[in-house]
Amino acid sequence: MNKKIVPDPPVNTSTPDPETLRAEDLLKDREAIKRALDHYIDPPAPYTEKPRRPSTMFIVAPSMDTESLLAHACESLATASVLTSDFANNLTGPQRYSALAIQQSIMLAELAVNRALDNVDPA
C-alpha cells in the first residue's frame, strides 16, 4: 500500500462571499471599539460608586500644620536620598544607575518640598 503524502481537501470547498466576510469583520470591529470606549469613558460601577478608604492604622494627626508636615517630609526625603546614595556606591553597572536615578527623583521631590516650605513661611 502507498501512503498518501497530501491530505484530503476539506469536504466543503466553497469560499464564503467576500461581502459577508467584510460585514462580519466590520461588526466585530464595531463591537471591539464599543467595548474599548465603554471601558475608558464609562468605567464599571465599582470604580465610581465607592471611594477608597485608607487604613487608619497609621494616621497623621489632623491637627498637624502644613509647615510641620512639609518639614518632616523634607527630612524624610533627605534621609532617603543619603541612603540611596550610599546604596548606589555599593553597586556597579545598570543597578548603580537605577539607584542613582531613584536618588535623583528623591532629590527633586526634596527640592519641591523645600520650595513649598519657603512658600508657607518665607524667612
Side-chain angles (χ1 to χ4, degrees):
M1 267 190 147
N2 289 339
K3 288 197 172 192
K4 191 174 183 182
I5 297 174
V6 178
D8 289 334
V11 177
N12 184 4
T13 58
S14 65
T15 58
D17 181 28
E19 286 295 319
T20 304
L21 288 177
R22 179 159 167 71
E24 289 174 2
D25 287 344
L26 287 173
L27 185 61
K28 288 178 185 177
D29 288 346
R30 285 187 185 134
E31 289 171 357
I33 291 168
K34 183 179 180 334
R35 282 193 312 272
L37 288 173
D38 287 346
H39 176 75
Y40 289 106
I41 294 174
D42 187 23
Y47 296 121
T48 56
E49 284 180 11
K50 188 176 173 186
R52 182 182 169 276
R53 288 191 56 205
S55 171
T56 56
M57 179 182 274
F58 304 104
I59 189 166
V60 175
S63 61
M64 290 296 296
D65 60 297
T66 303
E67 185 178 1
S68 297
L69 292 169
L70 287 171
H72 182 73
C74 184
E75 290 171 6
S76 296
L77 287 167
T79 302
S81 179
V82 169
L83 289 171
T84 308
S85 179
D86 289 346
F87 181 65
N89 287 332
N90 295 325
L91 298 174
T92 58
Q95 290 86 11
R96 183 171 194 274
Y97 297 132
S98 295
L100 289 173
I102 293 168
Q103 190 227 3
Q104 184 177 10
S105 295
I106 292 169
M107 286 181 4
L108 292 172
E110 187 181 1
L111 287 171
V113 170
N114 277 324
R115 174 60 64 198
L117 266 173
D118 290 343
N119 292 342
V120 168
D121 186 24

